[in-house]
């Protein structure tokens, strides 16, 4: 079975949320993405990244193709775009999928509240009810 690295920086970088969505405990590796910035969408409170001057810290996780398809649904592709980018892990570059929102206008994460843990868990539960045949 083919596996692919995913760079996570928001909901999926949280082991509790990851486990709720994919029904397994993640095994993460620290990583970062250069020349990108972290933003918050004031309309929905979710974090996103897009190119900019900065570095985004995150985590790499290995996913199966069926898990990636489920995450595409969670990330509401095409609202988020799944791109294959070069990220740094263990001081070397590796290719990993990254969910971006290159054309979204956002606010600095310090200027707008993000979704609460309770709101995210409720959204995951609703997502799972809506997609029970996908995963």
């Amino acid at each position: 079975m083919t596996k692919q690295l995913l760079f996570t920086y928001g909901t999926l970088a949280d082991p509790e949320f990851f486990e709720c969505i994919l029904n397994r405990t993640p095994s993460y590796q620290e990583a970062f993405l250069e020349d990108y910035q972290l933003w918050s969408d004031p309309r929905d409170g979710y974090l996103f990244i897009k190119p900019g001057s900065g570095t985004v810290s995150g985590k790499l996780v290995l996913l199966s193709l069926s898990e990636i398809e489920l995450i595409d649904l969670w990330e509401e592709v095409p609202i988020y775009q799944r791109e294959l980018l070069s990220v740094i892990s263990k001081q070397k570059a590796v290719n990993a999928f990254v969910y971006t929102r290159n054309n979204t206008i956002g606010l600095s994460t310090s200027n707008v509240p993000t979704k609460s843990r309770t709101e995210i868990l409720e959204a995951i539960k609703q997502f799972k009810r809506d997609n029970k045949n996908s995963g």
Side-chain angles (χ1 to χ4, degrees), residues 52-90:
S53 60
T55 300
V56 176
S57 295
K59 301 173 184 176
L60 287 174
V61 64
L62 201 57
L63 299 178
S64 69
L65 293 179
S66 63
E67 288 174 324
I68 290 169
E69 290 172 0
L70 183 61
I71 297 304
D72 280 353
L73 292 173
W74 169 250
E75 296 290 348
E76 298 183 291
V77 171
I79 293 174
Y80 282 82
Q81 299 83 46
R82 178 168 39 96
E83 300 183 58
L84 190 61
L85 299 174
S86 179
V87 301
I88 307 299
S89 179
K90 294 186 179 180

Side-chain angles (χ1 to χ4, degrees), residues 9-12 17 21 38-49 74-76 79-80 101 104-109 112-127:
Y9 56 86
T11 304
L12 295 171
F17 299 150
I21 294 170
L38 185 65
W39 299 92
S40 180
D41 187 331
R43 297 167 298 178
D44 62 20
Y46 281 107
L47 299 175
F48 68 94
I49 61 173
W74 169 250
E75 296 290 348
E76 298 183 291
I79 293 174
Y80 282 82
R101 286 171 70 174
T104 300
I105 297 171
L107 298 174
S108 166
T109 55
V112 67
T114 57
K115 278 202 179 298
S116 71
R117 292 190 72 74
T118 302
E119 290 173 309
I120 293 172
L121 285 170
E122 208 40 57
I124 291 169
K125 288 176 188 173
Q126 183 62 50
F127 169 78

